[in-house]
Amino acid sequence: MKKIFLSLLILMTAAGLSASDLTKKLEKIPSVKSIAELTSDVFPEKYALMVEQPLDWEHPEVGTFRHRVVLMHRGFDRPTVLVTEGYGAAYALAPAYQEELAKHLDANIVFVEHRYFLESTPEPCDWQHLTVKNAVCDLHDVRLLLGKVYKGKWLATGISKGGTTTMFYRAYFPDDVDLSVPYVGPVNTGVQDGRHEPFIAQQAGTALQRKAIEDFQLEMLKRKDAIMPLMEAYCAEKEYRFRVPLRHIYDYTVFEYAFTMWQWGYDVHSIPSLGASDTVLFDYLMKVCDPSYFAQGGEMFSFFVQAAKELGYYGYDILPFVPYLDVTSTKNYLAEVMLTPELQDLPYDGTANRHTLAFLEKEDVPMVFIYGENDPWSATGICQWLDFGKKQRMHLFVDPGGSHRSRIGTLPPTLQDEAWAIIDAYMK
């Protein structure tokens, strides 16, 4: 370890450079095993750290893995934003990467890649250690380690699954940060929660918008036989491999289309005329909802394992489409379509979700929740669970007509001002 840093210092000295105060501080943390300097258009200093952590925090004798943390430095006197990422950290490596809270607060960023994603995947990959409890202990450890470097106020935030992770982290380590800002984070109560389907059918958007989406789905299913050659050619060209027949994947892609339209806020006016050619309709479907989501070997696999084990997921309402389907039931589709055979019987454990919901219901800690009005994930969001009228330090902002892309910056101006005022008050 010290030899690595000594070599780095020698090289920097030879180049006429000197180690920064930050790298000197990081060098003193034993579990930081490597530091790679990154280019940034935004921050004076930026590094990718590999931190050694236990595979199982309750049983450290099991072994360790290397966990990637991206550190973006503005100043030791600045607040620090801890990003509780739910997936991989690759996008945070980009020189232009910024985050709206850190930008507003002129803060440092500590961006923690989620365990079992990208560079933070243990070898061998033993799925039993991919748990909510281990993940929040990872965050707690990083907070303690870098709290020695950044002694000002800390804010935890994440988006989507990362937003859910922000809530888990607060519930298990309530005193780690001064403020939590989860974006569009669901807290599901089962492998197929059951609240997403009626939300899409009855609440998202307007009745006319919902009908336009369902009419497109019906047309795609009615034309399945004619369009299947296009589907076969497309998937062959992309080299997609699936665990169920391709005609089933076609059905699932059409089911997923409605969720995707609302999740990402696509304009229903972009839907082609139902009299358009097979090619036009198929190309449009692929643009909105590519079947790679259901393919083997995708980057989402670790998420699907988590969904089956602890996080929960959503189902599909197939009743409007039954006469045109090859799929007869979607009851166990997460396991049958997304997971490998040896993982298809994973038992679901809702302990972390129940603990988090109970904590948020009972406690009143500084938190700002952001949701999109039409986002299907809002169906299982805290916005549906808590009575915010009884809270003094927990605040809810719902983006009118918003989607999974909703942020403070997408709120109407008056709501933006209100949200920033709350955040500024906590982070002074």
Side-chain angles (χ1 to χ4, degrees):
M1 170 69 182
K2 293 191 178 296
K3 288 182 179 179
I4 292 173
F5 281 103
L6 181 60
S7 299
L8 176 63
L9 291 173
I10 292 171
L11 288 172
M12 295 173 75
T13 303
L17 303 171
S18 62
S20 72
D21 289 341
L22 176 57
T23 56
K24 290 176 183 177
K25 290 176 183 288
L26 296 173
E27 190 268 343
K28 295 178 181 179
I29 302 175
S31 58
V32 176
K33 298 303 181 183
S34 69
I35 303 173
E37 187 172 5
L38 301 173
T39 300
S40 176
D41 302 333
V42 181
F43 297 87
E45 294 182 67
K46 182 173 179 176
Y47 302 95
L49 315 179
M50 295 304 291
V51 181
E52 187 171 50
Q53 293 184 312
L55 281 168
D56 187 332
W57 284 92
E58 293 183 352
H59 301 281
E61 70 278 3
V62 169
T64 62
F65 76 110
R66 297 287 178 95
H67 197 164
R68 181 163 66 178
V69 177
V70 185
L71 173 57
M72 291 156 256
H73 175 80
R74 281 197 167 106
F76 299 113
D77 62 339
R78 304 307 307 148
T80 301
V81 171
L82 175 62
V83 177
T84 63
E85 175 58 38
Y87 299 95
Y91 71 95
L93 304 178
Y97 174 77
Q98 177 64 294
E99 191 278 335
E100 71 171 359
L101 293 160
K103 182 178 180 179
H104 176 82
L105 296 167
D106 191 31
N108 309 300
I109 297 178
V110 174
F111 189 109
V112 183
E113 183 167 75
H114 201 287
R115 61 163 51 207
Y116 284 71
F117 287 84
L118 299 183
E119 299 302 313
S120 301
T121 303
E123 293 183 11
C125 184
D126 186 341
W127 295 107
Q128 69 174 311
H129 304 304
L130 177 55
T131 66
V132 168
K133 190 65 181 295
N134 277 330
V136 295
C137 286
D138 294 340
L139 295 168
H140 177 64
D141 181 59
V142 170
R143 169 67 180 90
L144 292 180
L145 294 174
L146 294 180
K148 301 172 184 176
V149 177
Y150 299 112
K151 298 181 179 181
K153 292 207 169 184
W154 282 68
L155 181 157
T157 188
I159 297 169
S160 188
K161 179 173 173 285
T164 305
T165 305
T166 302
M167 290 184 262
F168 288 148
Y169 178 45
R170 190 82 199 210
Y172 282 96
F173 294 99
D175 300 320
D176 265 21
V177 297
D178 299 283
L179 176 66
S180 301
V181 184
Y183 293 88
V184 297
V187 182
N188 303 310
T189 56
V191 176
Q192 290 189 6
D193 182 282
R195 288 177 286 173
H196 305 92
E197 300 93 313
F199 180 92
I200 290 172
Q202 302 167 19
Q203 290 180 247
T206 67
L208 287 176
Q209 290 172 324
R210 297 192 296 270
K211 186 176 188 305
I213 289 172
E214 185 174 308
D215 285 348
F216 175 77
Q217 292 175 286
L218 280 166
E219 186 66 19
M220 292 302 295
L221 291 168
K222 291 175 182 178
R223 295 201 202 185
K224 186 194 302 185
D225 289 340
I227 294 178
M228 274 306 298
L230 297 174
M231 180 77 163
E232 291 165 357
Y234 181 87
C235 292
E237 180 184 356
K238 299 287 187 178
E239 298 184 343
Y240 294 156
R241 295 177 297 114
F242 304 101
R243 296 184 176 89
V244 296
L246 190 58
R247 289 181 68 89
H248 289 209
I249 295 298
Y250 185 97
D251 288 352
Y252 281 114
T253 303
V254 174
F255 300 154
E256 183 68 19
Y257 166 80
F259 198 100
T260 300
M261 285 289 286
W262 292 117
Q263 179 175 3
W264 299 116
Y266 291 124
D267 187 351
V268 297
H269 294 101
S270 66
I271 300 174
S273 164
L274 299 186
S277 69
D278 294 341
T279 300
V280 167
L281 295 184
F282 177 75
D283 288 347
Y284 165 74
L285 177 64
M286 293 301 97
K287 183 179 179 180
V288 173
C289 191
D290 191 284
S292 60
Y293 191 66
F294 303 101
Q296 299 181 46
E299 292 183 357
M300 296 289 286
F301 186 76
S302 296
F303 164 64
F304 296 142
V305 174
Q306 285 188 281
K309 286 181 64 177
E310 294 183 283
L311 300 186
Y313 202 53
Y314 56 87
Y316 298 118
D317 179 7
I318 68 172
L319 287 178
F321 314 121
V322 167
Y324 311 103
L325 299 178
D326 285 76
V327 170
T328 58
S329 171
T330 60
K331 184 177 180 181
N332 297 311
Y333 84 95
L334 178 63
E336 294 171 0
V337 179
M338 316 297 213
L339 300 181
T340 50
E342 68 273 13
L343 295 174
Q344 290 183 355
D345 294 324
L346 287 172
Y348 175 75
D349 182 355
T351 302
N353 289 351
R354 290 192 298 271
H355 172 77
T356 299
L357 291 171
F359 172 86
L360 295 175
E361 191 168 40
K362 177 183 177 182
E363 303 296 333
D364 188 10
V365 293
M367 299 186 76
V368 176
F369 296 87
I370 310 295
Y371 286 98
E373 182 184 23
N374 290 334
D375 181 9
W377 290 114
S378 294
T380 54
I382 295 302
C383 52
Q384 308 290 349
W385 187 270
L386 293 185
D387 182 353
F388 283 88
K390 296 180 179 179
K391 303 291 187 179
Q392 298 297 316
R393 300 197 295 170
M394 299 172 77
H395 310 272
L396 171 67
F397 292 89
V398 178
D399 187 10
S403 68
H404 214 52
R405 303 180 198 271
S406 291
R407 307 290 184 265
I408 295 173
T410 67
L411 295 171
T414 54
L415 292 182
Q416 287 189 44
D417 292 344
E418 184 181 347
W420 287 128
I422 291 168
I423 290 166
D424 289 343
Y426 283 121
M427 296 304 291
K428 280 184 180 178

